[in-house]
Amino acid sequence: GAVVSQHPSWVICKSGTSVKIECRSLDFQATTMFWYRQFPKQSLMLMATSNEGSKATYEQGVEKDKFLINHASLTLSTLTVTSAHPEDSSFYICSADLTTSGRNEQFFGPGTRLTVL
Amino acid sequence: DAKTTQPPSMDCAEGRAANLPCNHSTISGNEYVYWYRQIHSQGPQYIIHGLKNNETNEMASLIITEDRKSSTLILPHATLRDTAVYYCIVRVPSSGSARQLTFGSGTQLTVLP
């Protein structure tokens, strides 16, 4: 199947700093990528939809000025958590959408564990 | 997307079949049933999907009832590595930004040695 990578796999930062997370589709092009957030013992919650060459679409309650998304190429989307605070500590997961032969699947990255001290 | 209901947890003995149920009584005619799983601290993994016919692949089988109001994911010979949270998602596989997945709480499957 198609492969999606994320970098870094984990990061620890101080409160007030910014953290960038990369999501790459390794063997296919993805015009649309999705960013999810998962708190401990909870399910994945969609944060935003990232579209190549255009502005991201954010879910209700997600601050677009705090979670900056850039999808500058067909294989890379980045999520920047600006002025991170301890409550932003979470597991961030991206996915990329692939449609081949009429079948649509989403492939997920391995996730990035963010801990804000 | 239609709402799904899954039991919060299940146990299964290693080597036995694991049968994970999902209710989706409000499913509409053009919605597919998708199954994903998430092993602890990893991203979700696609397992299988179907519309109305039973489906089988190298990972699992999907049995959908005739009225399509429920389905069962079957792992024929569960191993310890199958311990994960299993998500049943009902959606229309469409183009554009509507392709996002809505995850419920899923079923925590624990395979016991």
Side-chain angles (χ1 to χ4, degrees), chain B residues 1-99:
Chain B
D1 294 341
K3 179 181 171 60
T4 62
T5 305
Q6 298 177 252
S9 64
M10 292 181 63
D11 291 341
C12 175
E14 187 177 20
R16 305 296 291 269
N19 298 288
L20 294 94
C22 179
N23 286 320
H24 32 79
S25 58
T26 61
I27 191 170
S28 60
N30 59 348
E31 289 182 310
Y32 284 65
V33 180
Y34 284 76
W35 283 84
Y36 284 78
R37 73 179 182 184
Q38 186 181 23
I39 295 171
H40 183 63
S41 292
Q42 296 184 23
Q45 176 189 23
Y46 165 84
I47 301 173
I48 198 168
H49 77 283
L51 180 62
K52 56 182 178 181
N53 298 320
N54 297 338
E55 301 287 343
T56 296
N57 62 20
E58 64 277 6
M59 291 184 66
S61 294
L62 173 60
I63 308 298
I64 303 174
T65 57
E66 192 169 342
D67 64 7
R68 301 208 324 122
K69 293 185 177 182
S70 65
S71 60
T72 301
L73 178 74
I74 301 173
L75 307 179
H77 306 286
T79 70
L80 298 179
R81 287 177 294 182
D82 291 321
T83 291
V85 178
Y86 287 77
Y87 296 99
C88 168
I89 299 170
V90 175
R91 61 188 285 265
V92 178
S94 59
S95 60
S97 61
R99 294 195 294 267

Side-chain angles (χ1 to χ4, degrees), chain A residues 91-104:
Chain A
F91 192 50
Y92 291 86
I93 306 168
C94 71
S95 71
D97 191 72
L98 177 62
T99 300
T100 57
S101 303
R103 192 175 83 172
N104 173 256

Side-chain angles (χ1 to χ4, degrees), chain A residues 30-107:
Chain A
T31 55
T32 302
M33 291 183 175
F34 302 96
W35 286 96
Y36 296 82
R37 179 169 55 181
Q38 185 176 34
F39 292 108
K41 297 190 183 301
Q42 295 187 22
S43 190
L44 285 79
M45 295 296 294
L46 179 68
M47 298 177 65
T49 301
S50 171
N51 300 297
E52 189 269 335
S54 64
K55 292 183 178 180
T57 303
Y58 291 81
E59 294 300 298
Q60 190 173 10
V62 178
E63 300 176 56
K64 65 180 186 342
D65 295 330
K66 181 171 180 61
F67 298 98
L68 301 179
I69 291 173
N70 185 280
H71 194 157
S73 78
L74 289 171
T75 59
L76 173 64
S77 175
T78 60
L79 169 68
T80 301
V81 183
T82 62
S83 187
H85 291 283
E87 57 265 30
D88 299 322
S89 298
S90 188
F91 192 50
Y92 291 86
I93 306 168
C94 71
S95 71
D97 191 72
L98 177 62
T99 300
T100 57
S101 303
R103 192 175 83 172
N104 173 256
E105 291 182 28
Q106 277 198 29
F107 296 91

